[in-house]
């Protein structure tokens, strides 16, 4: 079994920065894509950024130039550095990963989410 645990959320003023972390643990053989999604109150969950193992990141237009995704493959951890935060970045941020287990089963995993609140 594989699980993702996010951390690093919190309350920040507009223009500030936060760094989210997401660590994968369990019976992991490999991880392909790792990414972040967010869900604002009353809205659908939306994609924020994704990175492949050894690859560069891809970003939603709304965060490009302000957010940076990175990963540490040795630690099975993905990060999201968020700068120049805006009130519209407020929401629950979820980590997502495409995982192959040690039994060679492949599946998509979600974390439990971490709250980010940006005050104006």
């Amino acid at each position: 079994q594989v699980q993702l645990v996010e951390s690093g959320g919190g309350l920040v003023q507009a223009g500030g920065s936060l760094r989210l972390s997401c660590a994968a643990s369990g019976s992991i053989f490999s991880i392909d894509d790792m990414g972040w999604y967010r869900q604002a109150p009353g809205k659908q969950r939306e994609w924020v950024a994704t990175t492949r193992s050894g690859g560069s990141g891809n970003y939603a237009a709304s965060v490009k130039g302000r957010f940076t995704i990175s990963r540490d493959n040795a630690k099975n951890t993905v990060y999201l550095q968020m700068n120049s935060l805006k009130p519209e970045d407020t929401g629950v941020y979820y980590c997502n990963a495409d995982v192959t287990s040690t039994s060679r089963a492949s599946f998509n995993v979600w974390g439990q989410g971490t709250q980010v609140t940006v005050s104006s």
Side-chain angles (χ1 to χ4, degrees), residues 2-80:
V2 176
Q3 60 179 340
L4 304 178
V5 178
E6 301 104 331
S7 61
L11 173 64
V12 64
Q13 288 188 332
S17 298
L18 282 174
R19 188 189 193 214
L20 305 183
S21 299
C22 170
S25 63
S27 303
I28 299 169
F29 175 73
S30 66
I31 303 177
D32 191 4
D33 289 0
M34 296 189 82
W36 292 93
Y37 291 71
R38 67 187 180 187
Q39 187 166 17
K43 295 188 177 181
Q44 289 189 331
R45 190 174 298 187
E46 64 175 1
W47 170 70
V48 174
T50 301
T51 181
R52 289 197 164 183
S53 177
S56 60
N58 292 297
Y59 301 90
S62 59
V63 306
K64 198 168 187 178
R66 300 187 297 121
F67 291 10
T68 302
I69 190 170
S70 61
R71 65 192 282 175
D72 184 333
N73 292 323
K75 296 181 179 179
N76 290 329
T77 299
V78 64
Y79 306 95
L80 186 68

